[in-house]
Amino acid sequence: MDVDGGRELTVGVGAGGLATSDMVLNIGPQHPATHGVLRLRLVLDGERIVSVDPVVGYMHRGAEKLFEVRDYRQIIVLANRHDWLSAFANELGVVLAVEQLLGTEVPERAVWARTLLAELNRVLSHLMFLGSYPLELGALTPVFYAFREREELQSVLEEVSGGRMHYMFNRVGGLKEDLPAGWTARVQAAIAPVRRRMPELESLLLGNEILRARTVGVGVLPRETAAQFGVSGPIARASGLDLDLRRDEPYLAYGELFAPGGPGRVVVRTAGDCYARLDALLEQVHVSLDLAEYCVDRLRSLPPGPVNVRLPKVLKVPAGHVYRWTENPLGLNGYYLVSRGDKVPWRLKLRSASFNNVQVLSRMLPGCLLADMVSILGSMFFVVGDVDK
Amino acid sequence: MLRGLVTTAKVMLRPAHTAEYPDVRPVLPPRSRGVIALVQENCTVCMLCARECPDWCIYIEAHKETLPPTTEGGRARQRNVLDRFAIDFSLCMYCGICVEVCPFDALHWSPEFEYAEFDLHDLLHEKERLGQWMPTVLPPQPPDPAAPEPKEIAQAAKAAARAARTATATAGRAATTGRAAGSRKAADAGRAAEAGKADAAGGTPGRRELPE
């Protein structure tokens, strides 16, 4: 790990001449910087981190095993809970996998509505981290700005789905029920102020000298390491790993959105430090708002039609297996569904983004200062529920 | 520094964005999943909700009752009588599957949310408590103009047409009594049609009538 000279020097003064033994420091499982119950076992040489061992599993709920005794509607309940900030995207992976095995054709209005909701959900998740990350660095103000925008979007999501976090709005074959009259107009009315006020939040973050001092050049994640550890999402893209399933393996309506001339673009940064990750996240909010606006326009111009298909009373999925991955706000989220023709899956493997994103900490943190640990940990944008499943 | 002061001044003049919650209650949409309300009379003890619940937090107890035959020489009928219907909100995951599967619109979502308790056991709402939520249930919003016609409207139209046919047939055959009965049926069907129009996907409480 390359660390700039100034930092090296300050440490050298204290610990240079003394013979020190390594110290083991446990961060968590209950620690405000870990957003939940992640435990990091650090070995410290003075102020410097020698090795890191992320200890996961404190919030393990056995989600995969629980999936096996629940039918496909009940699975959605559980599936939207492992990463509680991107519930809609989690539901989406399950229903897409089931629909692929069933060979269901989803009505066009449902496809566009799903895309719209997925993008709004992405904005919500990103805003959460844009608020909480500065909070960990000691900046209190951005979280209020971020949550004000979240509230605007959450209210339209609540109106359509009834939930503010766990939407439960996806069903196999489409959506639970149709959109309320005038909802699309209210979505537009919610997106506009969020878009207008984003520069305020941006100037608080990117322009902030203290924040820059704590993030620029800190916690550099090289592209190769990111690829080796299966890091994905905005974190990987901030390291120059140009992978976005919305463009590379389009699902829903992303084929059209990311087509040449479409509003979609993939945000890539090359620095790979904490600042780049934050910057990538901010830029992705803009992209997602663009996509959401485009989806609303398309949704309004679509011919009348249903948003779901008629399903049998007891939904049995034909025997077979399928792997569907989607671009969740935090990275690749995949479901490997094995069905033996029952109304419950035989196995539903979950590949969650945060699990891989957290593992790479064991490579990133050694060599860093303890004080930088919080800023690196916060910039990895993970949800502990998504790590432990 | 000056710019910062300008921002402060601007923000000071702006009305507060915060909601004064306990004094000003939030306006929640009808689909909001706050608490589940029960219309006891609509429940047939079919157990669908209890079975479909992902964490089995609905408790239903019932017994069978035998009704005497309504006509001379008729058959005695059995029907289920609901003894206990309870939802344990300390377990409930607020997924809404029970409301979705209920075939007789006995369960409804209410946006009411102020029922926190000091003791976990008090979150077990028995049927009386669940029934009390019913007045807080909001009528559903009309669906998007691009949405297909809800099937309730087609059903109601069909019922209205059938009732009209019966009415003309009875009117042709007999005198006043038949006509009165027929017109009442037609009126019922018309009400159902209106209810169907107002109701997109959820249900209208009390559509099913109990045998008295």
Side-chain angles (χ1 to χ4, degrees), chain A residues 166-345:
Chain A
H166 301 301
Y167 307 110
M168 266 306 280
F169 201 49
N170 273 303
R171 288 293 182 277
V172 175
L175 297 171
K176 178 174 173 262
E177 49 193 336
D178 215 297
L179 314 168
W183 182 74
T184 44
R186 284 190 285 280
V187 174
Q188 276 176 328
I191 293 176
V194 174
R195 190 190 280 282
R196 196 181 64 240
R197 293 187 301 227
M198 271 308 284
E200 286 180 22
L201 181 63
E202 242 171 64
S203 63
L204 277 175
L205 297 172
L206 300 185
N208 188 317
E209 248 174 72
I210 304 170
L211 192 129
R212 286 185 67 100
R214 289 205 63 182
T215 55
V216 176
V218 173
V220 177
L221 173 65
R223 187 174 178 276
E224 293 70 40
T225 318
Q228 282 164 1
F229 275 77
V231 176
S232 55
I235 302 166
R237 286 195 285 276
S239 296
L241 198 68
D242 190 3
L243 170 75
D244 192 324
L245 287 185
R246 292 177 291 171
R247 179 200 58 195
D248 301 329
E249 207 174 284
Y251 54 99
L252 294 182
Y254 287 121
E256 184 182 328
L257 291 168
F258 278 79
R265 63 204 152 83
V266 178
V267 182
V268 181
R269 298 284 181 270
T270 46
D273 58 356
C274 296
Y275 187 75
R277 288 192 275 275
L278 183 70
D279 190 22
L281 210 62
L282 258 175
E283 191 54 35
Q284 281 209 53
V285 173
H286 287 287
V287 176
S288 289
L289 287 173
D290 286 345
L291 294 179
E293 241 173 24
Y294 187 88
C295 288
V296 177
D297 290 340
R298 276 303 305 264
L299 203 54
R300 302 183 93 169
S301 66
L302 285 179
V307 290
N308 42 25
V309 294
R310 265 187 104 78
L311 292 173
K313 266 232 151 56
V314 178
L315 179 69
K316 287 191 175 167
V317 172
H321 57 99
V322 65
Y323 182 67
R324 273 314 285 261
W325 52 356
T326 53
E327 185 71 31
N328 264 32
L330 300 179
L332 304 182
N333 189 77
Y335 291 98
Y336 181 56
L337 168 66
V338 184
S339 172
R340 293 205 170 163
D342 291 330
K343 60 177 192 172
V344 297

